[in-house]
Amino acid sequence: MAEHHYDVVVIGAGPSGEGAAMNAAKHNQRVAIIEDKPTVGGNCTHWGTIPSKALRHSVKQIITFNTNQMFRDIGEPRWFSFPRVLQNAQKVIGKQVKLRTQFYSRNRVDLINGRASFLDQNRLVIRGNKSVETIHFKQAIVATGSRPYLPSDVDFRHHRIYNSDSILNLSHTPRTLIIYGAGVIGSEYASIFAGLGVKVDLINPGNRLLSFLDDEISDALSYHLRNNGVLVRHNEQYETVKGDDHGVVLTLQSGKKIRADAFLWCNGRSGNTENLGLDKIGLEPNSRGQLAVDDHYRTELGHIYAVGDVIGWPSLASAAYDQGRSASADIVQDEYFRFVDDVPTGIYTIPEISSVGKTERELTEAKVPYDVGQAFFKDLARAQITGEAVGMLKLLFHRETREILGIHCFGDQAAEIVHIGQAIMNQKGEANSLNYFINTTFNYPTMAEAYRVAALNGLNRIF
């Protein structure tokens, strides 16, 4: 059995693992990254963020083509099957894998394929297809990600019952679809399938869509999903999910029964910790397979860290990169360590949503004297030119100091637009001010101009 020695070993080559490995390598640590899948990128690249967002982009292009009057003058609307659209989206995955594989080679990080399991607090055993290796390490970073939570009373082996990973193997376009779980993933897939002309029932165990969002933005999402043919059912819990040769019947605890061609489960995720041998080093994950960490991403064992989806919130690829980088920053004691808690929300529904900072509900409950500045996309020249008139930008600011407290955006390019406001919110002292947007010249016509419009709108409310 081969044995190797490393300063830092990273388990998992997704976003958090990559961030950890790259930063450690750039500080002259001897680094190995272990991946149990044939290629790097993790769930983000292969089953989550990249394929679903590429899929969404293709569907949005189809919607634009089928609703734009200029295209209607040259031909009839076109129908595209789910497999055909997915095939186009899959091209991005290969490009991402190639790029990220080069990162490890260029930075002299040893990429080891196999399944890692702890032998003790300073050794791992790696079982590959044809070999078994032992790795000695000084520090380890667990970045194994997550997978869909699958309840035992739902038969996911049935060919019409899918989860948010297996849906990417869907080989036909269902006429009707039930999506159980109206969180970020469920709402995104509801938008995607509705855009392909599928009749969607979106079952929400809660009382409103994405309740962590600003209420006005959540309401806007509900309206546009319904406007696109999605039937949203709130406060519903499943009783049984039964598939047959012709479809799936969902029985709800309220007594309702719904039938559709296919069923998609999007309700929760579990950390990938069950095969790591954590019992041998005295670590115990919670009921969802997640590891507890302190504010430096250390587990109960100070030299073993955990980052990304395996620690739970916020379970975003964007945060995972920074969490991984910060964990290795703590190991090498560089100047870039930070606990990642300033995370913008990016939700790729159609239209998309992004926000950062406080919501109106939170500020009201805290009795903060805030006011609101709004810019509606329908009034922006750039949105009128592109035909993307749905949406708005909302700025929440302290009415006395003019400090920006929250930014909420709904509509085309929302996930891009929010970063301008985020940059100002992160300035110290008086530099975080509504005045920046009032006194700054923005290119015209642009979507960024919405900040000037919203700031002036808010200024008019102050007396």
Side-chain angles (χ1 to χ4, degrees):
M1 181 186 294
E3 296 197 15
H4 306 279
H5 294 259
Y6 292 94
D7 298 315
V8 179
V9 170
V10 182
I11 308 173
S16 58
E18 180 183 306
M22 292 302 108
N23 194 40
K26 291 181 186 298
H27 285 82
N28 301 314
Q29 300 290 294
R30 189 173 184 219
V31 182
I33 191 161
I34 303 158
E35 175 56 57
D36 61 359
K37 300 173 186 67
T39 53
V40 303
N43 289 334
C44 169
T45 297
H46 296 280
W47 294 280
T49 304
I50 296 303
S52 65
K53 276 51 176 182
L55 180 63
R56 174 209 181 264
H57 177 72
S58 296
V59 170
K60 192 168 182 294
Q61 287 183 311
I62 293 170
I63 294 172
T64 299
F65 179 83
N66 284 335
T67 57
N68 189 303
Q69 186 57 47
M70 183 176 69
F71 292 129
R72 294 289 55 75
D73 292 340
I74 61 173
E76 294 300 315
R78 296 290 189 268
W79 180 84
F80 294 83
S81 70
F82 181 83
R84 182 178 176 186
V85 176
L86 184 61
Q87 185 179 24
N88 184 63
Q90 295 277 14
K91 296 176 184 177
V92 183
I93 295 176
K95 295 177 181 178
Q96 285 284 305
V97 168
K98 180 180 178 181
L99 178 71
R100 302 191 179 289
T101 303
Q102 290 173 345
F103 290 162
Y104 296 113
S105 175
R106 187 186 311 146
N107 288 278
R108 294 183 172 84
V109 173
D110 289 348
L111 175 59
I112 302 172
N113 283 104
R115 185 173 293 277
S117 178
F118 286 98
L119 288 173
D120 55 42
Q121 294 187 9
N122 288 98
R123 289 188 303 160
L124 284 164
V125 60
I126 315 300
R127 293 180 172 86
N129 291 333
K130 299 179 180 179
S131 64
V132 177
E133 301 177 72
T134 299
I135 288 180
H136 298 254
F137 60 86
K138 296 178 182 177
Q139 278 98 9
I141 302 175
V142 178
T144 47
S146 65
R147 66 188 184 283
Y149 164 70
L150 305 180
S152 58
D153 57 351
V154 178
D155 182 13
F156 289 96
R157 295 170 298 178
H158 193 279
H159 66 283
R160 290 181 179 269
I161 298 177
Y162 299 87
N163 61 58
S164 55
D165 282 358
S166 63
I167 194 66
L168 296 174
N169 297 320
L170 182 64
S171 59
H172 67 287
T173 306
R175 293 171 302 164
T176 55
L177 175 68
I178 298 167
I179 299 178
Y180 187 87
V184 172
I185 297 173
S187 296
E188 288 179 349
Y189 271 113
S191 289
I192 289 169
F193 278 100
L196 289 172
V198 178
K199 290 187 179 299
V200 177
D201 277 76
L202 180 60
I203 313 301
N204 180 22
N207 59 8
R208 66 182 296 122
L209 291 181
L210 306 181
S211 58
F212 59 87
L213 291 175
D214 184 88
D215 290 348
E216 192 171 8
I217 302 299
S218 174
D219 291 343
L221 175 62
S222 295
Y223 169 80
H224 284 285
L225 283 176
R226 288 189 173 98
N227 193 50
N228 291 326
V230 177
L231 178 59
V232 184
R233 301 175 186 264
H234 296 295
N235 299 308
E236 297 281 10
Q237 303 280 342
Y238 81 97
E239 181 73 35
T240 60
V241 180
K242 301 294 183 184
D244 56 36
D245 290 341
H246 306 290
V248 179
V249 175
L250 169 67
T251 302
L252 298 169
Q253 292 180 9
S254 63
K256 301 183 185 74
K257 289 189 176 183
I258 308 166
R259 186 176 183 87
D261 292 340
F263 175 89
L264 172 58
W265 176 274
C266 293
N267 200 40
R269 296 185 69 83
S270 299
N272 294 322
T273 52
E274 68 279 6
N275 296 315
L276 284 176
L278 295 177
D279 56 315
K280 295 182 180 178
I281 57 173
L283 291 180
E284 184 175 350
N286 64 17
S287 60
R288 281 293 177 96
Q290 298 163 345
L291 288 171
V293 294
D294 64 12
D295 59 2
H296 279 245
Y297 300 105
R298 295 172 298 210
T299 66
E300 294 175 14
L301 301 175
H303 68 299
I304 296 179
Y305 295 69
V307 289
D309 281 15
V310 79
I311 67 171
W313 186 91
S315 294
L316 296 169
S318 55
Y321 278 112
D322 292 339
Q323 289 172 340
R325 187 166 188 261
S326 287
S328 60
D330 189 71
I331 291 172
V332 300
Q333 295 295 297
D334 70 16
E335 59 186 298
Y336 299 111
F337 175 82
R338 70 182 179 97
F339 184 75
V340 182
D341 56 2
D342 174 29
V343 182
T345 298
I347 302 170
Y348 295 87
T349 46
I350 301 174
E352 68 188 58
I353 298 169
S354 193
S355 65
V356 65
K358 300 295 184 180
T359 65
E360 287 201 62
R361 189 183 338 113
E362 290 170 335
L363 293 173
T364 299
E365 290 172 353
K367 294 183 165 54
V368 175
Y370 76 93
D371 223 317
V372 183
Q374 296 174 316
F376 294 95
F377 288 3
K378 65 183 176 60
D379 300 325
L380 300 179
R382 184 62 178 268
Q384 293 169 356
I385 291 168
T386 62
E388 299 283 359
V390 170
M392 65 175 292
L393 171 68
K394 178 160 70 171
L395 304 181
L396 307 181
F397 61 95
H398 197 289
R399 63 174 295 114
E400 295 168 7
T401 66
R402 301 191 185 182
E403 175 189 2
I404 304 296
L405 303 171
I407 300 165
H408 306 277
C409 192
F410 178 81
D412 186 47
Q413 300 181 57
E416 303 282 354
I417 294 168
V418 75
H419 290 130
I420 300 170
Q422 181 189 27
I424 300 306
M425 281 183 66
N426 284 339
Q427 301 307 303
K428 303 296 183 184
E430 296 180 357
N432 173 12
S433 173
L434 190 74
N435 294 339
Y436 174 84
F437 301 116
I438 295 170
N439 298 321
T440 297
T441 302
F442 289 86
N443 281 333
Y444 177 86
T446 60
M447 296 305 294
E449 181 204 3
Y451 279 98
R452 177 182 60 82
V453 175
L456 290 171
N457 177 267
L459 183 66
N460 289 336
R461 300 178 193 278
I462 299 175
F463 59 90

